[in-house]
Amino acid sequence: MKRLLTLLFCVTAVMALSAQIRGSEIEVLVQPDHQDWTYKTGEKATFVVSVLKSGTLLDNVSIDYAAGPEMYQDVKKSVVLKDGTLKLTGSMKQPGFYRVDVTAHIGGKDYKGACGAAFSPELLQPSTVMPKDFSEFWQNAITEARKTDLNPTKRLLAERCTKDVNVYEVSFQNLQPDYRTYGILCVPVKEGRYPALLRVPGAGVRPYGGDIWTASQGAITLEIGIHGIPVTMEQQVYDDVFNGALMGYWEFNMDDRDKQYYKRVVIGCIRALDYIEEYTPWNNKELGVTGSSQGGFLSLATAGLDKRITYYAPVHAALCDHTNSLRGIACGWPHYFYWNKGKGQEKQIEVSRYYDGVNFARLITQNQAGWFSFGYNDDVVPPTTAWATYNTVKGPKEISPYQATWHFWFQEQWDEWEDWLLKQMHINK
């Protein structure tokens, strides 16, 4: 018994020593004087910068700060904060976001904080132009792809199944024979017809676990990869591919609309809906799509192109309003034309319009409900583009910004998103 107690003590001690590291003793806060971070054009916003250690102001802190329209800040200074605080002001004559970035230098390390204040964001409009043959191009691509049979595969992943949900790795043909899309399908064990949800991925190359939780609530879920490779391999395989053959894949063939990388990605999302309709016990009623970042773009594209979609939820959607940078305004990731304002990229600019989330958003109808969420501090997907995209949608929509987030989620945001999805599927938790 003594040896057992000693062993238990050692295990407990090791677990305590390996506890998660959370947060930092040093905080850099940039706080606006409006609780909702929102102002009217022409108003003055006041920002209070605070550098804290253990929750109290830190004296004699060296900081660098940049302030101005996001991605085009025109004020850059270095100062020492004697009492750990600084007050700044900013304003905008045109709708947009005024951003303050602060970097504090303490003990040889850098600590960052930021605040993006919105000025009349409800008036923001995108710059991208919809090509006259935009819908025709995509509908022709879908029609051509459907000449290739899905020819699906399905493999039970017994180790992932639960008493309520069966989990499978599935695949189906996409644009052409032998080019496949892979994903994780989760289906309730209980026989019946169910609402369905397609989950589309953010940028990168990775394995997927499937949305088992949502399926356990009474829904079919299909989480897909986009690169035509199985989604259940070891992580190292994906790391090698991402750092090799697929490095920078979002820039592949930008000058050819028929070969641009995202063509087969977008078509893969539509074919995933085909798979759900033909090979799962979908109830032929509620069908949704959701994803964040790159997945937010794919949510817009899927909803815009396919009217089977009844609800969609893009979170900090990337690939929106690529051409904004041509007029010196924040553009969406991957910021294609930011660095040289599109000089010598006339063909790429033209092609980009076929792969702009804004143009897909313009196709969304009154029969499709949308939920948009993003952060005002996001330096990957600028809120300028997120708001302008939202403003473009003519169908029923909700917006729920979480101002202090960067390119990540808050728990409350995640919970609200999940609750909204279940509501659209008429599922009560």
Side-chain angles (χ1 to χ4, degrees):
M1 176 62 70
K2 183 176 179 180
R3 291 181 64 187
L4 178 59
L5 290 174
T6 300
L7 177 61
L8 288 173
F9 174 80
C10 290
V11 170
T12 303
V14 170
M15 290 178 66
L17 288 171
S18 63
Q20 282 188 333
I21 297 173
R22 294 186 179 181
S24 173
E25 186 182 30
I26 307 294
E27 294 180 276
V28 179
L29 303 180
V30 187
Q31 298 169 295
D33 59 340
H34 282 195
Q35 193 174 42
D36 63 358
W37 298 36
T38 303
Y39 303 79
K40 297 294 184 182
T41 52
E43 278 191 279
K44 183 175 71 173
T46 299
F47 305 88
V48 176
V49 177
S50 305
V51 182
L52 308 173
K53 180 177 181 180
S54 300
T56 59
L57 292 170
L58 193 60
D59 296 335
N60 300 313
V61 182
S62 296
I63 69 163
D64 301 323
Y65 74 84
E70 62 172 345
M71 294 184 72
Y72 293 93
Q73 293 159 304
D74 51 6
V75 176
K76 297 182 180 181
K77 293 185 178 180
S78 299
V79 297
V80 175
L81 309 185
K82 291 184 178 181
D83 60 357
T85 65
L86 175 68
K87 186 176 289 187
L88 301 169
T89 61
S91 184
M92 294 190 72
K93 295 180 180 179
Q94 302 297 326
F97 280 78
Y98 189 95
R99 182 181 175 95
V100 176
D101 281 283
V102 178
T103 302
H105 310 289
I106 301 168
K109 296 182 179 180
D110 292 341
Y111 299 87
K112 296 182 178 182
C115 178
F119 284 83
S120 301
E122 72 282 359
L123 300 179
L124 281 165
Q125 292 298 316
S127 66
T128 191
V129 176
M130 176 180 276
K132 292 181 179 179
D133 66 343
F134 182 86
S135 294
E136 180 184 3
F137 169 76
W138 282 107
Q139 292 307 319
N140 286 344
I142 293 169
T143 299
E144 188 64 27
R146 284 178 174 153
K147 293 178 181 178
T148 297
D149 189 88
L150 287 171
N151 189 21
T153 67
K154 184 177 180 182
R155 179 172 68 91
L156 182 70
L157 302 176
E159 69 282 3
R160 300 190 190 184
C161 295
T162 70
K163 65 181 181 62
D164 299 313
V165 179
N166 286 326
V167 183
Y168 308 89
E169 182 177 34
V170 301
S171 77
F172 44 87
Q173 294 188 134
N174 184 339
L175 272 176
Q176 60 195 37
D178 299 326
Y179 178 78
R180 307 189 74 81
T181 293
Y182 289 80
I184 301 296
L185 175 69
C186 300
V187 181
V189 170
K190 184 178 178 181
E191 287 193 18
R193 310 295 292 185
Y194 295 95
L197 175 65
L198 174 65
R199 298 195 55 149
V200 285
V205 187
R206 65 183 70 85
Y208 294 99
D211 186 356
I212 299 171
W213 185 85
T214 301
S216 73
Q217 305 304 298
I220 298 160
T221 64
L222 175 58
E223 182 177 35
I224 61 170
I226 64 170
H227 301 298
I229 56 177
V231 293
T232 55
M233 299 183 289
E234 295 294 324
Q235 180 64 50
Q236 187 60 50
V237 176
Y238 303 101
D239 293 343
D240 290 344
V241 171
F242 184 63
N243 292 313
L246 290 179
M247 181 180 290
Y249 67 84
W250 46 83
E251 295 184 344
F252 289 0
N253 299 318
M254 284 178 57
D255 59 352
D256 188 331
R257 69 176 187 173
D258 288 308
K259 295 181 180 179
Q260 214 269 14
Y261 194 82
Y262 282 108
K263 182 179 180 181
R264 58 184 180 179
V265 175
V266 170
I267 296 300
C269 296
I270 304 302
R271 308 248 43 205
L273 301 183
D274 294 344
Y275 177 89
I276 289 172
E277 181 175 35
E278 189 170 351
Y279 292 101
T280 75
W282 173 46
N283 65 9
N284 290 298
K285 296 178 182 178
E286 302 93 353
L287 179 59
V289 60
T290 190
S292 63
S293 195
Q294 174 187 263
F297 158 72
L298 294 175
S299 298
L300 293 168
T302 306
L305 293 176
D306 200 310
K307 302 318 167 200
R308 288 175 295 184
I309 291 293
T310 59
Y311 65 99
Y312 64 100
V315 180
H316 44 253
L319 291 120
C320 290
D321 218 1
H322 301 302
T323 56
N324 234 11
S325 55
L326 303 183
R327 57 178 183 166
I329 300 175
C331 58
W333 181 91
H335 316 300
Y336 285 136
F337 312 118
Y338 175 70
W339 305 107
N340 65 353
K341 291 193 175 181
K343 292 180 180 178
Q345 293 181 290
E346 289 75 15
K347 186 62 176 178
Q348 288 88 340
I349 291 169
E350 177 188 338
V351 170
S352 77
R353 297 186 173 108
Y354 293 89
Y355 297 91
D356 195 309
V358 169
N359 286 332
F360 292 106
R362 287 170 168 152
L363 299 178
I364 291 171
T365 70
Q366 292 292 333
N367 296 321
Q368 300 171 292
W371 184 82
F372 292 71
S373 191
F374 48 88
Y376 285 6
N377 280 350
D378 196 333
D379 55 353
V380 177
V381 172
T384 294
T385 65
W387 256 107
T389 303
Y390 172 81
N391 292 341
T392 299
V393 174
K394 297 296 189 289
K397 59 188 178 181
E398 300 175 38
I399 189 167
S400 185
Y402 281 72
Q403 287 85 350
T405 59
W406 294 52
H407 202 58
F408 56 75
W409 301 67
F410 281 154
Q411 184 63 55
E412 295 85 351
Q413 183 182 20
W414 183 276
D415 293 342
E416 182 184 348
W417 166 74
E418 284 190 334
D419 289 344
W420 187 87
L421 293 172
L422 293 178
K423 180 181 178 182
Q424 300 309 308
M425 291 185 278
H426 301 98
I427 294 174
N428 296 319
K429 287 200 299 183

